[in-house]
Amino acid sequence: MSYGFSVYFGLDNTKEENIQLLKDAHNLGFTRIFTSLHIPEANYDILKIEVREFFKLAKEYEMDIISDISPNTFKFLDLEDMDLKGLRDMGVKTIRIDFGYSEEEIAKMSKNNYDIKIQLNASTITEEFFYELDKHSPNYENIDALHNFYPRVGTGISEECMIKKNNLLKLRGIKPCAFVQSNNRKRSPLKDGLPTLEDHRDLGVREASNHLFALGNTSVFIGDSLPSISELKELSSLSPDVIELDIEVKTDDKVILRLLNEVYSSRTDEARDAIRASESRLILNGDIIEPFNTIKKEYGDITIDNKEYQRYMGELQIVKNNQKKDNRTNVVASVLQKDFYLLKYIQSGKKFHFNVNK
């Protein structure tokens, strides 16, 4: 459940566009849908008609519908307040608690008998909130958390804030999720994008999602109204467990290119001067690496040891501290400068792979 999109009934899209978006996303492996049922600008006469048809199809696809709720939401759907069975029967599998409920009520909802997950607002949780929530013994196995998106420019949260909030969640085994914006059709009324991190405003879906996964988020949602097919493909082709690094390759050697196209794990005994790939020497399969481009090594360079390093032949590293020339080590590629910031997340067993640009 790593990929999600958003739908806002009665706002920017026609019913037909929302249904087509659902079908396209489902075909690409998306399993989660976020929707909000209390948007002031929405046309609620249209919204009430479209919701049930959309929810019915999403239920047939066995997709996880996430709806933020408030007491008014139940009224809008012609349900009694806290009627979780009614929501489940409509196809809602997860309810996001936005406002209007106490810690005691949230704990009670987390222990429901209707297989409905409870989702916290990851951007606003605090230590004090969990202190109060813990008093009522919630079922944390039935809780995850989704960060806010931020329509107004300059209001998105910082990376530091996200890390702090995510660490609070992980202490209780809660999986965090977050939003990136679409640059195809941005949601009304402001149309400035709906990212969680302010750093991601106007950034592409793939680059922003890669960053969110690196920060430990387990699901990424496209927040805006109508993402393009290419944006859906960009997100669905990412792995939440693997950090992608764009690189410039400096050789046509077939053995080197094969090694650069593998997925690696950083060693748990982290070196001071480089990120070391755990698997690279093990997958040589008898190939020999001849010496070439044995130049001095700078931050972000990718090196592979040649046959002169004997049993270290095939050792792949990403340089963290500048190093002098060594005839036993080939500089085969470099991480693009725009991705330097991602290197700090490749720690102790973290997986990474390269997106090769020649």
Side-chain angles (χ1 to χ4, degrees), residues 259 280-282 284 286-290 304-316 328:
L259 292 178
S280 59
R281 282 188 278 159
L282 304 175
L284 269 180
D287 287 323
I288 303 299
I289 298 177
E290 299 290 341
I304 297 180
D305 292 343
N306 61 51
K307 66 181 183 180
E308 301 301 326
Y309 235 133
Q310 302 177 49
R311 67 184 181 90
Y312 282 94
M313 182 176 66
E315 166 98 358
L316 183 146
R328 300 169 295 180

Side-chain angles (χ1 to χ4, degrees), residues 85-294:
K85 181 181 183 299
L87 285 176
R88 184 203 63 185
D89 291 344
M90 289 183 64
V92 176
K93 294 185 178 181
T94 302
I95 53 175
R96 185 169 186 252
I97 309 300
D98 204 1
F99 60 87
Y101 295 99
S102 68
E103 288 86 354
E104 183 177 6
E105 288 172 320
I106 293 170
K108 181 180 178 180
M109 283 190 281
S110 75
K111 293 178 278 190
N112 73 83
N113 296 317
Y114 305 112
D115 297 322
I116 286 186
K117 295 273 187 184
I118 306 303
Q119 190 171 78
L120 303 178
N121 185 330
S123 299
T124 60
I125 52 100
T126 62
E127 291 183 6
E128 292 74 20
F129 166 80
F130 280 119
Y131 176 78
E132 292 298 323
L133 188 62
D134 287 341
K135 291 179 180 179
H136 305 287
S137 303
N139 178 9
Y140 280 120
E141 292 184 0
N142 203 34
I143 295 176
D144 76 352
L146 176 61
H147 283 278
N148 272 342
F149 52 61
Y150 293 90
R152 188 195 184 284
V153 172
T155 61
I157 65 173
S158 66
E159 178 185 284
E160 293 75 18
C161 177
M162 176 174 283
I163 291 171
K164 180 180 178 181
K165 304 291 186 178
N166 284 1
N167 286 340
L168 273 178
L169 294 165
K170 290 173 185 177
L171 286 174
R172 288 165 173 80
I174 300 173
K175 296 178 179 180
C177 320
F179 288 96
V180 297
Q181 73 174 54
S182 165
N183 292 301
N184 184 51
R185 181 181 293 173
K186 296 177 182 178
R187 202 196 73 177
S188 297
L190 299 182
K191 298 186 178 181
D192 283 322
L194 298 177
T196 293
L197 292 183
E198 189 61 35
D199 286 342
H200 290 169
R201 202 172 299 276
D202 296 327
L203 205 62
V205 164
R206 189 179 190 88
E207 187 172 355
S209 300
N210 187 44
H211 185 200
L212 289 179
F213 284 137
L215 289 170
N217 295 285
T218 59
S219 291
V220 170
F221 293 77
I222 299 176
D224 283 285
S225 295
L226 192 65
S228 65
I229 289 291
S230 62
E231 288 177 324
L232 294 174
K233 289 179 178 178
E234 285 172 355
L235 176 51
S236 65
S237 64
L238 285 174
S239 169
D241 300 320
V242 183
I243 295 177
E244 180 177 271
L245 299 169
D246 285 345
I247 65 171
E248 179 185 4
V249 179
K250 300 181 178 181
T251 177
D252 291 320
D253 184 275
K254 292 182 179 179
V255 176
I256 300 299
L257 292 178
R258 177 173 68 81
L259 292 178
L260 290 175
N261 277 288
E262 297 288 337
V263 175
Y264 294 107
S265 304
S266 60
R267 287 182 56 134
T268 55
D269 53 340
E270 298 176 46
R272 181 196 67 179
D273 293 333
I275 297 166
R276 300 179 66 192
S278 296
E279 305 87 352
S280 59
R281 282 188 278 159
L282 304 175
I283 59 176
L284 269 180
N285 298 328
D287 287 323
I288 303 299
I289 298 177
E290 299 290 341
F292 67 89
N293 204 34
T294 56

Side-chain angles (χ1 to χ4, degrees), residues 51-69:
V51 164
R52 293 185 180 274
E53 181 179 346
F54 185 94
F55 279 16
K56 180 181 178 181
L57 181 57
K59 186 177 180 180
E60 291 176 9
Y61 288 159
E62 298 183 344
M63 299 182 80
D64 180 9
I65 299 174
I66 300 166
S67 176
D68 57 355
I69 67 165

